[in-house]
Amino acid sequence: MTLPAGSPLPPLATTRDVVAFLGEAIHWVVRGEIDAKIGNTAAYMAGVMLRGLASVEVLARLERLESAVASLPEAEAESAAAELGNVRRLADRIGGDA
């Protein structure tokens, strides 16, 4: 089974959207409404999407922290900036260049 042409697609903009889609896809497979291979492919792509969304969310939080550090008094900002540099390097290593 595939969706008919022109059918509305479920939103996949947030982690919650993707998780809800996965729940529906599991039910479709279990009920035999879609082939297990299609379900497996959808689950794989949803997993990739979840990792991408997580990276984007982490980077957004990191950018907010960097902005907050920039507004700290100089003595506090130096120490906090060094720690954020470590976090930034870690984020970059785990695929934070989204």
Side-chain angles (χ1 to χ4, degrees), residues 37-96:
K37 288 181 182 179
I38 294 171
N40 187 49
T41 300
Y44 174 79
M45 290 187 300
V48 171
M49 182 75 152
L50 286 172
R51 286 189 296 281
L53 287 170
S55 292
V56 168
E57 291 169 6
V58 167
L59 284 175
R61 292 178 69 188
L62 181 57
E63 288 167 359
R64 286 193 303 271
L65 286 170
E66 288 172 335
S67 179
V69 166
S71 67
L72 291 174
E74 190 174 332
E76 292 176 45
E78 255 182 59
S79 172
E83 287 300 317
L84 280 176
N86 293 335
V87 172
R88 169 66 74 180
R89 284 187 291 282
L90 178 62
D92 289 344
R93 281 191 9 225
I94 61 171

Side-chain angles (χ1 to χ4, degrees), residues 10-12 14-28:
L12 299 173
T14 66
T15 300
R16 184 170 294 190
D17 291 342
V18 177
V19 169
F21 167 75
L22 281 170
E24 287 297 312
I26 289 167
H27 289 128
W28 297 333

